[in-house]
Amino acid sequence: MESQVDELEAARESVGMPQLDFSTFPNQIFWLVVALVAIYLLLSRVALPRIGAVLAERRGAITNDIARAEMLKQQAEEAEAAYQKALTDARAEASRIIDKTKVDMQEQLDIALQKADAEIAARAAESERRLAEIRDSAAAAVEEVARDTAREVVSALGAKADGRSINAAVTAQLKGGAA
Amino acid sequence: MEGDIVTMGAYLGAGLACLGMGGAAIGVGHVAGNYLAGALRNPSAAPGQTAFLFIGIAFAEALGIFSFLVALLLMFAV
Amino acid sequence: MDQFIVTPLFGDDAVHWYTPTNVTLWMALTVFAVAGLLIYTTRGRAIVPSRGQSMAELSYGFIYKMVEDVAGRDAVRFFPYIMTLFMFILFANLLGLIPWAFTTTSHIAVTAVMALAVFLTVTLLGFILHGAGFLRLFWISSAPLPLRPVLALIEVISYFVRPVSHSIRLAGAMMAGHAVAKVFAGFAGALGVGAVIPIVAVTALYGLELLVAVIQAYVFTILTCVYLKDALHPHH
């Protein structure tokens, strides 16, 4: 304890607080100013512009990358839109073709039906005409036969009858019968 | 044990000056504690106020350092 | 207290203002350390930074943001000065923690020169930018009129105490940390085998000192920014 106190005492006597030893102040201040000026020059001339440039460059690069990604995304979206449009167009085209084909087929069908109808009608008319012919000829034949028969019957009965009155009578009889 | 009454007074004074550091400790604790309480109440505002935390701590601590300085002066420079 | 003594590097002469001393040596090392962090690591100017470069960029961004946030956007032109102060104090503090090192920032002479430089710069800048209007810094117009003279007196006193507290805070913190470490180390020497406790204490104290070294550099810088803000915008 005693020796420690002595030591402290000695330190007090000889040095005091080194911080308050004014004889070293000019030295410290001089070297401090030198150091600060050196650091200031190094920082302001070399370090800070360089770091600032690097940071700005990085920010620029990041902004660029984001912009490029944005652009690519937009392109992809555009491509997708174009694809969708093409798809829609193709669908529309297909349905249009289908509709057109349907209409064409309907038309052709109608024409064919009409043609068939006309042919059928023509043939029916022809058949009817021939039927009428046959019927007419049959009627004529019946008239002839009836006239001949009537003449024979009249002559057989001995009566004298001119052909004209017989014809008229037969015709009237036939017409009345037919009616 | 040797020494004169001036030395004794200087050492006693140095020891008493150190009590001031306790005050600085209370001050620093107060600043930091209040900051923490405020930060827990509103955590989103906390990061913007750390600068004021350090300024407050610095001011509180400076007074403790003054008392330490007084102690040193009494010990070595009286 | 031996660790704080200024001694000539060569010979045993008296310390003149130009004498190369341990102050010179450690300040030179500080300059080299700053150059190593901010210049050597960034030599690649890489877009994707290396570890050293990203540390340099972090410290750049940290101080830049501090200046911008605390002192305002128009204080950015003082950024190189503030960066210089921060880097010098930070590395002087950290290098001082190396065993047998000399801590330049533990000397009142060093910190007082820096604090006075800040004080004079800020005061002159305030008067140059605002003329007599700078004095409104002390006239708090939001306070009741009868209180204003009292407050003005307090403000003036606190304004002139600024460089004192600014310098003594840094020097005192550095000195105190080293002195306490020395005291604990002295206990270890006295205790011999039972020195485990002081050694643990010194180790813990060393961690605390690392923290203090960084925080004091930060505090010195941020207070510089606060004072600078007063000079640029003296209206409360």
Side-chain angles (χ1 to χ4, degrees), chain A residues 2 8-9 12 16-17 20, chain B residues 1 7 11 73 75-76 78:
Chain A
E2 207 163 305
L8 277 175
E9 198 72 12
R12 239 162 62 83
M17 244 168 87
L20 297 179
Chain B
M1 190 160 170
T7 316
Y11 286 170
L73 287 172
M75 289 276 282
F76 296 106
V78 172

Side-chain angles (χ1 to χ4, degrees), chain B residues 42-68:
Chain B
N42 186 3
S44 59
Q49 307 302 318
T50 39
F52 293 104
L53 169 72
F54 281 108
I55 294 172
I57 286 181
F59 279 127
E61 188 205 45
L63 301 171
I65 290 172
F66 288 161
S67 72
F68 173 74

